[in-house]
Amino acid sequence: MLDRGPVPDTSVVWAPEAGPAAGPRTPETPGPRTTLQVLRALDSGPRGLTEAEAENRLARYGENLPPGRRTDSWPRRFARGLRDPFTAVLIGLGVISAVLASWGTVCVIAILVTVSCVLRATGEHRAERATAALRRLVAGTATVRRRATAGSPPAAREVPVDQLVPGDVVLLGPGDLVPADLRLLRATGLTVHQAALTGESAPVGKHPAGHDYEDGAAGGGFDRPQLCFQGSSVVSGSGTGVVIATGADTALSGAFAGGRRPGRRLPSPFDRSVNGIAWTLIRFMLLTAPLVLITDALLSGRGLQAVPFAVAVAVGITPEMLPVVVTAVLARGAARLARGGQVIVRRLPALHDLGAVQVLCVDKTGTLTQDQPVFHRAVGPDGRDDPEVLRWAAVNALWTLQLAEPPMPDALDEAVLAAAEDLPGAGGQEEYEGVAALPCGPGRRLATAVVRPAPAPLFDRRHLLVVKGAPEDVLQRCALSPPERERQLARAAELAAQGLRVLAVARAERPARPGPYGPADEHRLEFTGLVALRDAVTPTAADALGALAARGIEVKVLTGDHPGTAARVCRELGLEPGQVVTADRIDALDQGELARLAAGTTVFARCAPEHKARIVAALRDGGRPTGFLGDGVNDLAALSGSDVGICPRDAVDVVREAADVVLTAKDLTALDRAVDAGRRSTGNIAAYLRITLSSNFGNVIAMLAAGLLVPFLPMLPAQVLVQNLCFDAAQLALAFDRPGTGAGSRPALLRPRSLVRFVTGFGLLNAAADLATFGVLALALRSLGGQQGQTAFHSGWFTENLLTQAMVMVLLRSGRAAAGGSRVPGPLRAAVAGLSVLGLLLPVSPLGPVLSMSVLPPLYYGLLAVVLVLYGTGLWLARRRWL
């Protein structure tokens, strides 16, 4: 922690946090309220800080960075990998082997643990570097007012955002990102976009508090007009504000109170699956090793010589390569996505979690929509579509923009002008020339353009007022009867209920005059009609939702917007909204009732951050792996409570820090490709588990049977370890398998119970092949006896084990998951061929005598071929039945 030392008293500005996901902290009841008193509390002024004071405060406060930005070192990541359950099992077996002085086993286990942890730490380090590069793309500067010395005049200068300190005076202009939490000192027509904070897509007006104004009088949270919050952006106007909070003290970073902090994340599907499988294997190992020891030591009378063999069996039945294979598979999938420049996986297990997701909750604003309005329809006074209404709205928009010269064009005006370009004669704006304009402003929700025909007739002394704005304000100025005014207001409300932004258009003729026009001229207007606009959807959103639905992922929309807006966007994207549930209904439900409601609901509207988090938690607690896609701080609590958090590249900083997966491309279909990669990776991991555990289980059964059937150890400890080492090395090739085309069509999850059923069935089949091999060996070696017969038995079973394991790798790999299978990739073919060659040649090689193995008679190989054909046929038929 930084030693902040004595700092200016900001308690008059902020009160303590209200708790998780509480949003911005609210001012305390007692204490100063005026802008001047806030400046005094910050020991600052309108002229800004001196450079020396700014440096002192930077040393005390630290950089203006969100919490969690400082990343773990590579050694810390390596050490975290040692906590993996399978790695812990391997370490425990290594300790037992060291006690028994089985140093070969200890060395093999040490190599496996080191390789696994190195691969995992390297993969996460690369993902963090990619995220840091992405962060630099959006890093910027802020314009501040500072002085060289106390007596120097203030000067505006650009400083990096992370160098801002409380008390700095910041200048805001159109398009600027608000770099910290500010209290406004001055503002001119200032509006800001707070969708990243609140989810509301409409800009909000900001203005400094007057001398008598008390903080919070106009609402709490982000609604306070005198405060601009980090994470918002300036839409129009300009302003000057004093920094009241930076770094972890901002309202944006305060959302981390309900978000994901390093080391405090909830168990994900990967964690639950791995822990379940690990404990299943640990129980099996604790049961099997003593059984082997009892069978060989007590029942067969081999005494202490059976102890190393029992330990070797325990190592053999443990999937010691699982940490290596899992990390290699996930790292390869994450690297492939990163090379495509579309997805960054910041936490390797998140790739598995992404493939396991059954429900994906998405925020609407910024993900499904672009926060950019587009024209929908124009309605005349009679309720019918009328292009003339759009024409007059375009006349108003054009001359308001040209004559009022706003610092930044209004998005609604731009949408109207863009739509009018498709009208005959380009909307007719060129038929008029501007005379004057009365723009929108604080407290004024309409704009008026005064125009005249172009070219103006010589004796025509008429001006035309074209008014456009909020229906309530415009209709109030129209010459309408009360029933007609109510009818038009109801029509505007009906359009708004459909999720549309509605503008009313009116006009009136006035005698020309040289003097200025004012609001007093906006009366007795002729109502022209209504213009409805909608939010533009993200171009690839419909394709992305369709692709996710095809993969069996149920999409749910969680938004803070109006229910009608949410429903309309869903229909436009091809997602049937059904009955929209609003936040007030959620508040009346306990978590169990909410879980039942959420299971059958597609759209939730008017959601605050805590509502989104509750919905995600309800779905997750229902046993369905749940992901969340969002980009604003109001999404942070839900993102943190999900099984896998996803955000686009332009999400706010703290969201990118908390997310597991970052979509670096603006194409939302990249999410579908990431899901596919996650499912294929999980398929390869599941294939490894099926192959190694079924083979190991079959071998254990065969070893127990051999302990009762033969008067010597069926395989020496060194032979067991060499066999496992060969098999483990070959299984690394499974990371390069290419699953069949149907492998990514449904959620993929490592399920311990399903795995146990598979392993039991196929393990018994493998044990049957081993027992048949015992019969073959008895027939082929009946003329051999004593030590020669034992070495021949060891050689025969060693060869059969490697050959059957090679066969299993081909027939049970994930690439066979699709009907018709898929071509075996090169690395896997090489691994299978190498395993087969080792099985056939190692006993007859110079290493054979070292491992107590000898040459086998030709009769054995002929009989073994029959066993392998029968085993392969049974394996193929069993796999078809399983599928």
Side-chain angles (χ1 to χ4, degrees):
M1 293 291 292
L2 289 169
D3 180 13
R4 296 188 176 225
V7 295
D9 179 16
T10 59
S11 62
V12 296
V13 183
W14 292 124
E17 293 187 38
R25 290 160 286 182
T26 56
E28 297 178 357
T29 301
R33 291 290 189 270
T34 66
T35 302
L36 179 60
Q37 289 169 319
V38 170
L39 288 172
R40 286 176 178 171
L42 292 166
D43 195 18
S44 183
R47 303 174 67 211
L49 301 174
T50 63
E51 294 291 351
E53 178 60 22
E55 290 181 6
N56 291 336
R57 295 191 182 189
L58 182 63
R60 291 193 301 241
Y61 279 87
E63 294 182 333
N64 181 28
L65 297 174
R69 171 65 61 83
R70 294 169 181 81
T71 59
D72 290 336
S73 63
W74 194 92
R76 184 182 292 271
R77 295 181 191 275
F78 180 90
R80 193 163 58 233
L82 296 174
R83 299 200 300 265
D84 179 89
F86 288 107
T87 304
V89 170
L90 282 178
I91 293 174
L93 290 173
V95 171
I96 295 174
S97 300
V99 171
L100 296 172
S102 299
W103 301 114
T105 305
V106 172
C107 291
V108 170
I109 290 176
I111 292 172
L112 294 176
V113 169
T114 302
V115 170
S116 173
C117 293
V118 166
L119 284 174
R120 177 174 301 180
T122 302
E124 292 182 354
H125 182 66
R126 287 176 178 172
E128 182 57 39
R129 283 194 306 175
T131 306
L134 179 64
R135 188 186 302 126
R136 287 192 294 270
L137 292 177
V138 296
T141 60
T143 304
V144 301
R145 185 179 292 159
R146 285 184 180 173
R147 296 168 289 157
T149 62
S152 303
R157 57 172 295 223
E158 296 287 323
V159 300
V161 168
D162 58 12
Q163 302 298 300
L164 289 179
V165 296
D168 261 329
V169 174
V170 177
L171 309 181
L172 298 176
D176 286 348
L177 294 175
V178 178
D181 288 354
L182 309 177
R183 169 71 180 255
L184 287 176
L185 306 177
R186 181 193 62 80
T188 303
L190 182 65
T191 62
V192 300
H193 198 274
Q194 295 187 156
L197 304 170
T198 63
E200 293 287 351
S201 55
V204 296
K206 296 288 184 178
H207 55 84
H211 186 79
D212 299 328
Y213 190 86
E214 291 195 355
D215 293 343
F222 295 109
D223 297 330
R224 288 169 289 183
Q226 78 278 23
L227 298 180
C228 290
F229 298 96
Q230 185 183 42
S232 55
S233 59
V234 178
V235 176
S236 62
S238 60
T240 303
V242 60
V243 175
I244 57 176
T246 60
D249 295 328
T250 63
L252 182 67
S253 297
F256 261 103
R260 179 177 300 157
R261 294 181 183 273
R264 292 189 176 183
R265 61 181 313 279
L266 297 171
S268 70
F270 179 82
D271 301 324
R272 297 192 293 270
S273 298
V274 167
N275 287 333
I277 294 171
W279 281 110
T280 300
L281 293 176
I282 290 171
R283 294 187 190 102
F284 183 61
M285 182 187 66
L286 293 176
L287 174 65
T288 302
L291 281 177
V292 172
L293 183 61
I294 291 171
T295 301
D296 286 283
L298 300 181
L299 299 181
S300 300
R302 300 187 185 103
L304 293 178
Q305 65 172 323
V307 175
F309 177 69
V311 173
V313 170
V315 175
I317 64 176
T318 303
E320 59 267 22
M321 287 297 290
L322 183 60
V324 180
V325 171
V326 166
T327 307
V329 168
L330 295 178
R332 187 168 181 269
R336 190 162 55 245
L337 289 172
R339 282 197 301 270
Q342 296 179 327
V343 180
I344 295 175
V345 180
R346 301 187 68 241
R347 183 177 60 87
L348 285 183
L351 191 58
H352 164 273
D353 298 338
L354 199 56
V357 162
Q358 297 176 9
V359 180
L360 179 66
C361 299
V362 300
D363 177 47
K364 179 187 74 68
T365 308
T367 52
L368 300 182
T369 62
Q370 303 181 74
D371 299 335
Q372 177 183 339
V374 294
F375 173 76
H376 183 69
R377 64 181 298 201
V379 181
D382 57 358
R384 299 177 181 177
D385 289 345
D386 186 354
E388 283 299 310
V389 179
L390 176 61
R391 190 186 305 275
W392 286 113
V395 170
N396 171 279
L398 175 67
W399 291 110
T400 300
L401 290 173
Q402 292 200 17
L403 297 177
E405 296 183 353
M408 188 173 184
D410 182 81
L412 298 178
D413 285 342
E414 289 187 324
V416 167
L417 291 172
E421 291 179 357
D422 297 330
L423 294 175
Q429 298 96 311
E430 70 283 354
E431 298 176 7
Y432 298 91
E433 61 183 25
V435 176
L438 302 175
C440 297
R444 175 178 166 83
R445 301 191 301 165
L446 53 81
T448 297
V450 182
V451 298
R452 62 187 178 191
L458 183 61
F459 299 104
D460 190 352
R461 306 292 296 171
R462 294 176 302 151
H463 285 168
L464 186 64
L465 275 68
V466 184
V467 182
K468 171 173 62 65
E472 297 84 354
D473 292 25
V474 174
L475 288 169
Q476 184 181 8
R477 292 164 171 79
C478 291
L480 297 173
S481 64
E484 177 63 17
R485 181 177 291 108
E486 290 300 322
R487 189 165 69 89
Q488 297 299 339
L489 285 172
R491 182 170 293 139
E494 181 181 350
L495 291 171
Q498 299 173 20
L500 302 170
R501 301 186 194 180
V502 184
L503 299 173
V505 182
R507 62 188 191 274
E509 285 190 355
R510 296 286 186 266
R513 67 168 188 262
Y517 285 85
D521 296 298
E522 299 167 339
H523 66 281
R524 298 194 61 78
L525 305 175
E526 177 188 351
F527 178 64
T528 305
L530 301 172
V531 174
L533 302 103
R534 54 183 171 81
D535 285 339
V537 299
T538 303
T540 58
D543 293 338
L545 293 182
L548 293 173
R551 293 193 183 277
I553 296 178
E554 185 178 352
V555 176
K556 298 183 182 294
V557 178
L558 281 56
T559 179
D561 264 351
H562 188 281
T565 303
R568 183 197 55 75
V569 169
C570 288
R571 292 191 187 96
E572 190 171 345
L573 294 174
L575 183 66
E576 180 54 44
Q579 183 178 3
V580 180
V581 174
T582 54
D584 53 353
R585 185 176 176 187
I586 296 173
D587 291 332
L589 303 175
D590 60 30
Q591 203 64 4
E593 294 170 332
L594 179 59
R596 291 188 289 273
L597 176 65
T601 303
T602 301
V603 180
F604 296 86
R606 295 298 189 194
C607 291
E610 57 269 23
H611 296 123
K612 296 182 180 182
R614 282 193 64 199
I615 294 167
V616 169
L619 291 167
R620 192 174 185 269
D621 294 343
R624 305 177 70 187
T626 303
F628 187 88
L629 170 63
D631 68 336
V633 70
N634 60 315
D635 301 321
L636 188 57
L639 184 109
S640 305
S642 64
D643 288 311
V644 55
I646 312 161
C647 74
R649 62 172 291 174
D650 51 358
V652 296
D653 226 8
V654 289
V655 171
R656 285 203 308 274
E657 295 296 328
D660 300 309
V661 177
V662 179
L663 305 179
T664 59
K666 291 186 177 294
D667 184 358
L668 276 182
T669 56
L671 179 58
D672 174 63
R673 289 186 281 277
V675 169
D676 182 64
R679 292 182 179 181
R680 290 172 180 266
S681 297
T682 302
N684 284 349
I685 295 170
Y688 165 78
L689 284 170
R690 290 196 300 266
I691 290 169
T692 188
L693 293 181
S694 59
S695 296
N696 292 348
F697 180 62
N699 286 339
V700 167
I701 295 176
M703 287 177 180
L704 289 172
L708 298 174
L709 296 175
V710 298
F712 50 84
L713 286 177
M715 193 175 291
L716 299 179
Q719 294 166 350
V720 173
L721 292 175
V722 170
Q723 173 187 280
N724 287 338
L725 187 60
C726 293
F727 193 29
D728 290 341
Q731 285 174 322
L732 280 176
L734 291 172
F736 299 91
D737 196 9
R738 294 189 295 270
T741 54
S745 60
R746 58 183 179 180
L749 188 64
L750 300 175
R751 302 182 186 275
R753 291 184 179 179
S754 175
L755 185 63
V756 168
R757 290 196 301 269
F758 185 97
V759 167
T760 301
F762 284 85
L764 291 174
L765 186 60
N766 182 269
D770 287 340
L771 293 175
T773 302
F774 293 165
V776 168
L777 287 169
L779 182 63
L781 306 178
R782 63 182 182 275
S783 61
L784 301 177
Q787 187 63 35
Q788 186 180 6
Q790 291 184 29
T791 56
F793 186 93
H794 295 157
S795 301
W797 197 19
F798 182 91
T799 297
E800 183 265 348
N801 268 336
L802 291 189
L803 291 177
T804 54
Q805 288 173 342
M807 187 177 295
V808 167
M809 285 183 63
V810 174
L811 294 178
L812 297 188
R813 69 186 185 91
S814 59
R816 301 283 300 180
S822 63
R823 184 171 177 269
V824 180
L828 193 56
R829 289 201 305 272
V832 169
L835 198 61
S836 302
V837 169
L838 280 173
L840 292 170
L841 298 184
L842 191 59
V844 302
S845 71
L847 291 176
V850 177
L851 295 173
S852 300
M853 291 190 289
S854 60
V855 179
L856 293 161
L859 177 61
Y860 167 75
Y861 292 104
L863 294 175
L864 179 61
V866 175
V867 172
L868 292 177
V869 169
L870 292 175
Y871 175 63
T873 303
L875 200 62
W876 182 76
L877 292 174
R879 179 59 191 266
R880 287 194 62 183
R881 182 179 179 83
W882 177 268
L883 289 177

mmCIF file of all heavy atoms in Angstrom, residues 719 791 842-855:
data_model
loop_
_atom_site.group_PDB
_atom_site.id
_atom_site.type_symbol
_atom_site.label_atom_id
_atom_site.label_comp_id
_atom_site.label_asym_id
_atom_site.label_seq_id
_atom_site.Cartn_x
_atom_site.Cartn_y
_atom_site.Cartn_z
ATOM 1 N N GLN A 719 9.350 -51.489 -14.794
ATOM 2 C CA GLN A 719 8.614 -51.675 -16.042
ATOM 3 C C GLN A 719 7.305 -50.871 -16.035
ATOM 4 O O GLN A 719 6.911 -50.302 -17.053
ATOM 5 C CB GLN A 719 8.334 -53.162 -16.245
ATOM 6 C CG GLN A 719 9.581 -53.995 -16.467
ATOM 7 C CD GLN A 719 9.314 -55.482 -16.333
ATOM 8 O OE1 GLN A 719 8.248 -55.900 -15.896
ATOM 9 N NE2 GLN A 719 10.312 -56.292 -16.721
ATOM 10 N N THR A 791 10.589 -63.266 -17.116
ATOM 11 C CA THR A 791 10.981 -62.150 -17.984
ATOM 12 C C THR A 791 10.168 -62.158 -19.268
ATOM 13 O O THR A 791 9.799 -61.092 -19.784
ATOM 14 C CB THR A 791 12.481 -62.237 -18.297
ATOM 15 O OG1 THR A 791 12.777 -63.516 -18.885
ATOM 16 C CG2 THR A 791 13.308 -62.059 -17.042
ATOM 17 N N LEU A 842 11.211 -52.519 -27.807
ATOM 18 C CA LEU A 842 11.941 -52.319 -26.559
ATOM 19 C C LEU A 842 12.360 -53.645 -25.901
ATOM 20 O O LEU A 842 13.504 -53.772 -25.441
ATOM 21 C CB LEU A 842 11.105 -51.474 -25.589
ATOM 22 C CG LEU A 842 11.856 -50.959 -24.344
ATOM 23 C CD1 LEU A 842 13.054 -50.102 -24.749
ATOM 24 C CD2 LEU A 842 10.915 -50.147 -23.452
ATOM 25 N N PRO A 843 11.477 -54.674 -25.857
ATOM 26 C CA PRO A 843 11.930 -55.930 -25.236
ATOM 27 C C PRO A 843 13.095 -56.600 -25.963
ATOM 28 O O PRO A 843 13.890 -57.304 -25.323
ATOM 29 C CB PRO A 843 10.672 -56.807 -25.289
ATOM 30 C CG PRO A 843 9.540 -55.847 -25.354
ATOM 31 C CD PRO A 843 10.050 -54.708 -26.186
ATOM 32 N N VAL A 844 13.230 -56.414 -27.270
ATOM 33 C CA VAL A 844 14.306 -57.076 -28.026
ATOM 34 C C VAL A 844 15.501 -56.158 -28.222
ATOM 35 O O VAL A 844 16.492 -56.561 -28.838
ATOM 36 C CB VAL A 844 13.784 -57.563 -29.397
ATOM 37 C CG1 VAL A 844 12.622 -58.525 -29.222
ATOM 38 C CG2 VAL A 844 13.345 -56.373 -30.266
ATOM 39 N N SER A 845 15.420 -54.920 -27.707
ATOM 40 C CA SER A 845 16.517 -53.970 -27.859
ATOM 41 C C SER A 845 17.547 -54.196 -26.753
ATOM 42 O O SER A 845 17.303 -54.950 -25.809
ATOM 43 C CB SER A 845 15.979 -52.542 -27.800
ATOM 44 O OG SER A 845 15.561 -52.229 -26.476
ATOM 45 N N PRO A 846 18.703 -53.527 -26.814
ATOM 46 C CA PRO A 846 19.697 -53.651 -25.734
ATOM 47 C C PRO A 846 19.169 -53.224 -24.368
ATOM 48 O O PRO A 846 19.732 -53.599 -23.337
ATOM 49 C CB PRO A 846 20.838 -52.739 -26.214
ATOM 50 C CG PRO A 846 20.705 -52.715 -27.692
ATOM 51 C CD PRO A 846 19.240 -52.774 -27.969
ATOM 52 N N LEU A 847 18.081 -52.395 -24.354
ATOM 53 C CA LEU A 847 17.512 -51.986 -23.071
ATOM 54 C C LEU A 847 16.641 -53.073 -22.448
ATOM 55 O O LEU A 847 16.289 -52.979 -21.271
ATOM 56 C CB LEU A 847 16.678 -50.711 -23.251
ATOM 57 C CG LEU A 847 17.452 -49.430 -23.582
ATOM 58 C CD1 LEU A 847 16.480 -48.284 -23.824
ATOM 59 C CD2 LEU A 847 18.417 -49.080 -22.439
ATOM 60 N N GLY A 848 16.280 -54.084 -23.243
ATOM 61 C CA GLY A 848 15.429 -55.149 -22.726
ATOM 62 C C GLY A 848 15.996 -55.830 -21.497
ATOM 63 O O GLY A 848 15.320 -55.919 -20.455
ATOM 64 N N PRO A 849 17.229 -56.341 -21.549
ATOM 65 C CA PRO A 849 17.795 -56.986 -20.356
ATOM 66 C C PRO A 849 17.908 -56.054 -19.164
ATOM 67 O O PRO A 849 17.771 -56.481 -18.004
ATOM 68 C CB PRO A 849 19.176 -57.444 -20.842
ATOM 69 C CG PRO A 849 19.036 -57.569 -22.328
ATOM 70 C CD PRO A 849 18.093 -56.494 -22.721
ATOM 71 N N VAL A 850 18.172 -54.766 -19.426
ATOM 72 C CA VAL A 850 18.261 -53.802 -18.316
ATOM 73 C C VAL A 850 16.932 -53.717 -17.576
ATOM 74 O O VAL A 850 16.889 -53.571 -16.344
ATOM 75 C CB VAL A 850 18.687 -52.416 -18.843
ATOM 76 C CG1 VAL A 850 18.701 -51.396 -17.704
ATOM 77 C CG2 VAL A 850 20.038 -52.496 -19.519
ATOM 78 N N LEU A 851 15.821 -53.809 -18.319
ATOM 79 C CA LEU A 851 14.486 -53.741 -17.726
ATOM 80 C C LEU A 851 13.927 -55.127 -17.407
ATOM 81 O O LEU A 851 12.725 -55.264 -17.139
ATOM 82 C CB LEU A 851 13.533 -53.018 -18.678
ATOM 83 C CG LEU A 851 13.841 -51.536 -18.941
ATOM 84 C CD1 LEU A 851 12.941 -50.981 -20.036
ATOM 85 C CD2 LEU A 851 13.677 -50.727 -17.659
ATOM 86 N N SER A 852 14.805 -56.161 -17.445
ATOM 87 C CA SER A 852 14.394 -57.551 -17.139
ATOM 88 C C SER A 852 13.344 -58.046 -18.117
ATOM 89 O O SER A 852 12.342 -58.660 -17.730
ATOM 90 C CB SER A 852 13.866 -57.656 -15.695
ATOM 91 O OG SER A 852 14.856 -57.278 -14.762
ATOM 92 N N MET A 853 13.554 -57.751 -19.405
ATOM 93 C CA MET A 853 12.664 -58.248 -20.452
ATOM 94 C C MET A 853 13.483 -59.047 -21.464
ATOM 95 O O MET A 853 14.692 -58.809 -21.629
ATOM 96 C CB MET A 853 11.932 -57.090 -21.136
ATOM 97 C CG MET A 853 10.913 -56.408 -20.233
ATOM 98 S SD MET A 853 9.846 -55.230 -21.087
ATOM 99 C CE MET A 853 11.014 -53.910 -21.429
ATOM 100 N N SER A 854 12.813 -59.952 -22.172
ATOM 101 C CA SER A 854 13.517 -60.833 -23.104
ATOM 102 C C SER A 854 12.718 -60.982 -24.391
ATOM 103 O O SER A 854 11.571 -60.520 -24.492
ATOM 104 C CB SER A 854 13.742 -62.215 -22.478
ATOM 105 O OG SER A 854 12.495 -62.823 -22.153
ATOM 106 N N VAL A 855 13.340 -61.677 -25.382
ATOM 107 C CA VAL A 855 12.703 -61.895 -26.678
ATOM 108 C C VAL A 855 11.566 -62.897 -26.522
ATOM 109 O O VAL A 855 11.659 -63.887 -25.764
ATOM 110 C CB VAL A 855 13.734 -62.411 -27.702
ATOM 111 C CG1 VAL A 855 13.068 -62.670 -29.044
ATOM 112 C CG2 VAL A 855 14.875 -61.414 -27.835
#
